[in-house]
Amino acid sequence: MMIPLLVLLAALAPGVAEQTVPQFTPLRQQFEGYPLWVPVDEAFTADGDLREGLFAPHTRSTLARQFAVSAGPGEPQKPGSDCLGGSASTGLHFSGPDRTLLDLTRGASRIAAGTIVAATPGFLEGLAGTLLELRVDESLKGRFSAASIFVFYPYVYHRSGRVTVCRSDLRYNLRPGAGNRALFFSFYPSRDVGDTLFEHRPNHLMLEGADGLLETEPAFRDPAAPHGFGDSVEHVRD
């Protein structure tokens, strides 16, 4: 009954009706009955109450630290504890040598160059972040099974009505959004049966910034890397 409920909520939620809300089938059986991904607009009622039935019981304690609900109209909305100070206490730990473009290119099993066409705030198994829909314009290494993939980026600051959802981490300083060109290095298997949902690790996403420059995360250490995004794509392709 869970999927029909999500479809109904997507049809009723303002600003969501015309969007394609992805439905991911988890690989692990313990999450059966709970959606892997819940957009913010579906996670809360109009009064700001969390729809706890959408989340596995073991994720609910983490959820409480990643959102705040104002007490009423005109009262300030305070960020949750995971947003204060930009601490690196949440998310996935960086534990690899992937610090240069050559390291990333050699180590990744698949590499996509593409364009972010949507960035949706929400929760992946109870962890707040932004789901990036990346249109794969070119597979630079390996092959992706779909024309678009979804990359969970562990940063979000989003206000919707009385609810503020937030999560920050010093390792993830990029602010990807719709329209950004991106390079994504996939080192790990997808999270869903359809092979479309991926989690971001530090350093595995790069963006085209102002004037075509390459934007990277703090873990990236490569003085020899090209400064331009297009040149970096060519470097990976070669």
Side-chain angles (χ1 to χ4, degrees), residues 20-221:
T20 300
V21 179
Q23 302 289 343
F24 302 110
T25 302
L27 294 172
R28 292 180 287 177
Q29 292 301 315
Q30 68 253 44
F31 296 108
E32 187 174 356
Y34 298 98
L36 274 174
W37 168 254
V38 181
V40 167
D41 289 340
E42 296 179 9
F44 299 90
T45 68
D47 294 327
D49 296 323
L50 180 69
R51 293 188 169 101
E52 291 189 352
L54 296 177
F55 300 94
H58 73 275
T59 69
R60 294 171 191 170
S61 61
T62 303
L63 277 166
R65 303 198 309 269
Q66 299 175 105
F67 71 89
V69 181
S70 62
E75 296 193 11
Q77 296 175 316
K78 299 179 181 180
S81 61
D82 283 354
C83 288
L84 299 179
S87 70
S89 61
T90 64
L92 299 162
H93 298 287
F94 176 73
S95 59
D98 314 317
R99 295 183 179 272
T100 71
L101 200 57
L102 182 60
D103 292 335
L104 290 163
T105 303
R106 287 178 173 174
S109 58
R110 292 182 282 186
I111 305 173
T115 304
I116 297 172
V117 298
T120 306
F123 301 91
L124 180 69
E125 293 180 352
L127 293 177
T130 303
L131 189 69
L132 308 175
E133 182 178 353
L134 178 65
R135 185 186 69 218
V136 180
D137 297 328
E138 182 179 2
S139 292
L140 299 174
K141 183 179 181 181
R143 293 186 63 183
F144 291 89
S145 58
S148 289
I149 60 174
F150 296 87
V151 179
F152 176 75
Y153 195 81
Y155 168 84
V156 63
Y157 191 92
H158 177 77
R159 291 183 177 182
S160 179
R162 296 173 55 191
V163 177
T164 301
V165 177
C166 48
R167 181 184 179 197
S168 65
D169 190 315
L170 291 175
R171 294 167 296 178
Y172 307 112
N173 64 325
L174 298 178
R175 299 296 176 259
N180 282 137
R181 294 176 65 199
L183 264 174
F184 175 62
F185 299 84
S186 175
F187 279 71
Y188 302 96
S190 63
R191 296 294 308 278
D192 68 319
V193 173
D195 193 34
T196 60
L197 176 60
F198 299 85
E199 282 187 89
H200 171 65
R201 265 56 169 190
N203 228 18
H204 294 177
L205 181 73
M206 299 178 181
L207 302 178
E208 180 180 40
D211 299 324
L213 296 178
L214 182 69
E215 290 188 352
T216 63
E217 292 174 335
F220 188 71
R221 297 287 188 272

